[in-house]
Amino acid sequence: MDLFFQQVLNGLTLGSIYGLVALGLTLVYGILHVPNFAHGAIYMVGAYVSYLTMVDLGYNYWVAMACAAAAVAALSVLCERLVFNPLRDAPPIHDKIAAIGIMMFLEAAVQMQWGAEFRRMPTPYTDIFNIAGLTIPAQRVLIIMGAFSLMAVLHLFLKKTMTGATIVAMAQNREGAFLVGIDANRVAMMTFAISGALAAVGATLFAPINLVYPSMGHLLIMKAFVIIILGGMGSIPGAIVGGLIIGFTEAFGGFYISTDYKDIIAFALLVVILSVKPTGLFTKGVR
Amino acid sequence: MLQLDHVEARYGSFKALEEVSMSVEQGELVVLLGANGAGKSTLFNTLSGLLKPSAGKIALNGRDVTGLKPSALVAAGVVQCPEGRKLFPEMSVLKNLMLGAYVHRRDKAGIRQTLEQVLSLFPILDEKKDEAAGSLSGGQQQMVAIGRAMMGRPTLLLLDEPSLGLAPLVVKQMFETIKGINEQGTTVLLAEQNAFAALKIAHRAYVIENGRLVMEGDKDTMLGNEEIRRAYIGA
C-alpha cells in the first residue's frame, strides 16, 4: 500500500509539471490557433536561465525562478512579434514550420553556447520527509504546491480580471473580441508571455529532480501535445486534468508494468482515449 | 457625422464594395436595405475596421478614420453589434456586457452607470446576468449583443440584422428598442432585410445591391417606392 501511495505522489509530481507546460501550450493554441512546437525549447531555455542564474551568478533558487520567468516571457513575446505575428495571415502550415524552426534555433543556440552535456541543477530543498511510511522529498512537495498555486493564480487572473477576460474572450469569439475594442496584438503578446513564464517556472521546479540539457524539451512537448489533444485543444481544465491523467498513468504504468515503457504509455493512452472520444475530454474551449 | 467617399473593399480579387458614398448625420437612424450577399455586412465590417478598404475614404466627425484598427474605431465611438451576435458564449451575461465596456475600463463609475441603463433597457438580462450567454434564447442573446454594444457608449451604433432568426413578437420589441436607443441620442445605422419594420422607425434609407448603393431616400419616399415594395417588402 505504501508503494501505491508513493506512486500517487509521483503521479502528482509529474502531472503538475505536465499540466503547467500544457497550460501554456493550450492558451496559445486557444487564442492564435498556433500549435507552438517551440514550447519545449522555450521550457529548456527556462531551465538554462535558472541554472545559470543559480550556479554561475550565485543567486538563490527563487531569484533564479523569477529571472527565468521574466527572461523566457520576454523570449516568447519576441517569438510572437518576430515570427508568429508576421505569419498571421499566412497559410496555417507556415506557423507550424516556423515553430519547428524556432525550436531548432533555440536548441542549437543553447548547445553552441553551453554545450550538450547534462547538468544537474542544485536545489536548496534537499530534505526528505518520512510520513506514514512514505518517502517524500521536499522538492516534490514544492513542485506540487508550486504548480497548483500557479494554476490557481492563472485561474483567478483569467476569471476575475478584465485583462484576463480579454484572453478568454479572444479564445471564445475572435471577431466579437475585436468588436468590443480588444487589441489582438496586446492579447497575443500577453498570452505568449504567460505561456513562456509558466514553462520557465515549470522547468525550474522540475529541473532539480531531472537533468538540464539542450534536448530536454523534446519528450515533454510531445507529451504536452498529447495532453492538450486529450483534454481538448484550447481547454484550460482539459490541460490540467490531461496533465494529471498522463502523470498518473506514467507513474502507475512505470511501476506496475515496466519503467522501460513509461514514455510509451502516454501515447498508448492517447490512442485509446481518442478512439473512444475523438474530440478530446473537454471540448468546449477556454473557460 | 459619418462620411463615406467612394469606398471600395475586396476579398482577394473580388470587389465586395464599389464606389460606396454615403453619409449619416448626428442623431439619425439610417437603414441599409439589401438582400443576402448584397454587401451589408461587408460595409459594416469595413466601418468597424475588421476589413480595410482598398480605396476611398471614411471620415468620422470630420476626422479621417480610413484603415484604423477595430480597437481604435471602438474607442472613437463606432461600435458594431454584428450579425450572428458574436457573443462570448461561455461567459456570463454580465461578463459579456462588462467586456463591451472594455475601452472604458478605467472609468469604473461610468461603466456602472451605463450598465444600469442597459439593464433597464433589457430588464430580463438583469435576471439572467449570471447565466452563460450561450444558454439564452435567440432573442435574449440579441439583447446581450445590443447591450454589449451599448456598453461601449457608441456615438454611432452599427446594427447588423438584429431581427435575424427572432420570433415575430420579439422582432417588434427589438425595433421598438432600437427606436428608443436612437431617440436617446445615439446615431444608428441599421442593416436589415426586414425592410418594412426597419423603414417604419427610420429617418432615411439606402439600398445596396451587388456592393453598390443603388438608391437613397427618406422614409416616406422609400416606403412609397414601387421597386422597394416589390423587392424588399413583398406587397
Side-chain angles (χ1 to χ4, degrees):
Chain A
M1 214 51 199
D2 286 355
L3 286 171
F4 175 83
F5 284 111
Q6 199 69 54
Q7 296 319 313
V8 171
L9 181 72
N10 287 344
L12 265 179
T13 315
L14 283 172
S16 50
I17 291 297
Y18 290 167
L20 220 47
V21 175
L23 261 180
L25 200 61
T26 213
L27 270 180
V28 167
Y29 185 83
I31 309 294
L32 302 162
H33 296 270
V34 175
N36 190 3
F37 295 112
H39 198 60
I42 296 271
Y43 168 88
M44 176 272 298
V45 173
Y48 270 88
V49 174
S50 283
Y51 179 87
L52 295 168
T53 320
M54 274 182 88
V55 176
D56 289 8
L57 302 176
Y59 288 100
N60 82 29
Y61 184 72
W62 297 99
V63 174
M65 187 184 284
C67 284
V72 172
L75 176 68
S76 290
V77 172
L78 203 66
C79 289
E80 198 277 331
R81 283 292 92 186
L82 294 181
V83 181
F84 294 114
N85 187 52
L87 288 175
R88 188 164 294 169
D89 297 321
I93 188 76
H94 292 199
D95 285 327
K96 300 185 179 80
I97 297 171
I100 292 173
I102 296 176
M103 176 184 92
M104 294 180 11
F105 173 79
L106 290 177
E107 279 185 27
V110 167
Q111 186 161 345
M112 188 178 81
Q113 190 62 38
W114 292 291
E117 67 266 28
F118 291 67
R119 294 155 191 260
R120 178 168 289 283
M121 187 151 116
T123 168
Y125 303 97
T126 48
D127 303 342
I128 292 174
F129 306 120
N130 271 303
I131 300 166
L134 284 181
T135 316
I136 309 175
Q139 184 66 28
R140 287 183 183 255
V141 178
L142 184 69
I143 289 174
I144 297 168
M145 292 196 347
F148 282 102
S149 21
L150 202 57
M151 289 175 196
V153 169
L154 181 70
H155 175 83
L156 287 178
F157 169 71
L158 293 175
K159 283 274 177 196
K160 302 286 177 204
T161 67
M162 190 66 134
T163 316
T166 61
I167 295 184
V168 184
M170 194 67 101
Q172 288 190 6
N173 196 320
R174 197 173 169 81
E175 278 197 357
F178 289 150
L179 290 175
V180 298
I182 294 172
D183 186 350
N185 286 332
R186 213 184 115 134
V187 173
M189 287 193 280
M190 193 162 64
T191 310
F192 267 89
I194 293 172
S195 150
L198 289 176
V201 173
T204 313
L205 285 170
F206 200 41
I209 63 166
N210 218 302
L211 291 167
V212 179
Y213 52 98
S215 58
M216 64 188 281
H218 284 180
L219 203 53
L220 191 73
I221 188 70
M222 297 278 276
K223 286 179 187 164
F225 269 107
V226 170
I227 289 162
I228 71 169
I229 293 168
L230 265 186
M233 305 285 273
S235 163
I236 289 171
I240 298 170
V241 175
L244 288 173
I245 291 178
I246 297 293
F248 280 117
T249 329
E250 272 186 21
F252 283 103
F255 181 68
Y256 288 108
I257 303 171
S258 159
T259 40
D260 294 342
Y261 293 117
K262 179 167 91 53
D263 291 327
I264 298 175
I265 291 165
F267 302 99
L269 192 70
L270 176 73
V271 174
V272 173
I273 291 191
L274 285 189
S275 47
V276 181
K277 208 163 179 306
T279 47
L281 298 174
F282 297 78
T283 39
K284 287 177 90 184
V286 178
R287 274 179 289 192
Chain B
M1 73 185 309
L2 177 73
Q3 204 87 39
L4 274 75
D5 189 17
H6 298 282
V7 169
E8 180 192 278
R10 293 161 180 270
Y11 292 113
S13 63
F14 171 69
K15 269 192 202 167
L17 290 179
E18 261 182 278
E19 301 277 313
V20 173
S21 297
M22 64 183 291
S23 65
V24 178
E25 299 306 322
Q26 181 76 43
E28 267 191 320
L29 196 165
V30 175
V31 169
L32 184 65
L33 296 177
N36 262 337
K40 300 190 298 290
S41 298
T42 308
L43 178 56
F44 274 29
N45 287 343
T46 311
L47 290 175
S48 281
L50 291 178
L51 196 66
K52 304 263 175 276
S54 46
K57 245 182 87 171
I58 303 172
L60 187 72
N61 296 321
R63 176 184 155 213
D64 186 2
V65 294
T66 322
L68 285 191
K69 286 196 295 189
S71 52
L73 282 158
V74 173
V78 183
V79 183
Q80 182 186 170
C81 169
E83 183 184 352
R85 301 166 198 137
K86 309 240 152 81
L87 296 177
F88 310 120
E90 285 154 44
M91 289 190 193
S92 70
V93 168
L94 185 65
K95 202 132 194 213
N96 269 275
L97 294 176
M98 293 308 273
L99 277 167
Y102 176 72
V103 291
H104 305 296
R105 60 193 175 281
R106 309 215 193 289
D107 176 16
K108 296 265 191 286
I111 291 178
R112 219 173 306 126
Q113 205 183 344
T114 329
L115 183 65
E116 264 170 41
Q117 287 166 7
V118 168
L119 291 180
S120 65
L121 196 61
F122 302 112
I124 185 81
L125 297 187
D126 201 6
E127 279 169 45
K128 305 249 173 188
K129 64 175 187 287
D130 296 321
E131 291 179 29
S135 71
L136 303 189
S137 73
Q140 290 165 352
Q141 289 195 23
Q142 191 62 53
M143 292 177 194
V144 179
I146 296 181
R148 186 179 71 180
M150 293 302 290
M151 290 297 292
R153 283 183 237 154
T155 51
L156 174 63
L157 177 63
L158 309 173
L159 288 167
D160 195 357
E161 304 256 9
S163 74
L164 199 71
L166 300 187
L169 193 67
V170 185
V171 170
K172 201 166 161 250
Q173 289 169 354
M174 194 58 74
F175 281 110
E176 289 295 317
T177 310
I178 294 167
K179 194 174 172 214
I181 290 171
N182 174 246
E183 277 165 0
Q184 284 177 13
T186 309
T187 311
V188 177
L189 182 58
L190 169 66
E192 263 296 339
Q193 295 199 48
N194 196 338
F196 187 62
L199 282 174
K200 275 208 308 198
I201 61 166
H203 297 113
R204 280 191 308 126
Y206 289 91
V207 177
I208 186 167
E209 268 174 27
N210 297 324
R212 287 171 176 273
L213 294 180
V214 292
M215 207 184 295
E216 181 202 346
D218 63 18
K219 168 184 178 177
D220 297 323
T221 329
M222 295 304 249
L223 276 171
N225 185 301
E226 254 327 292
E227 256 178 83
I228 302 247
R229 295 191 79 89
R230 235 192 348 262
Y232 299 103
I233 300 176

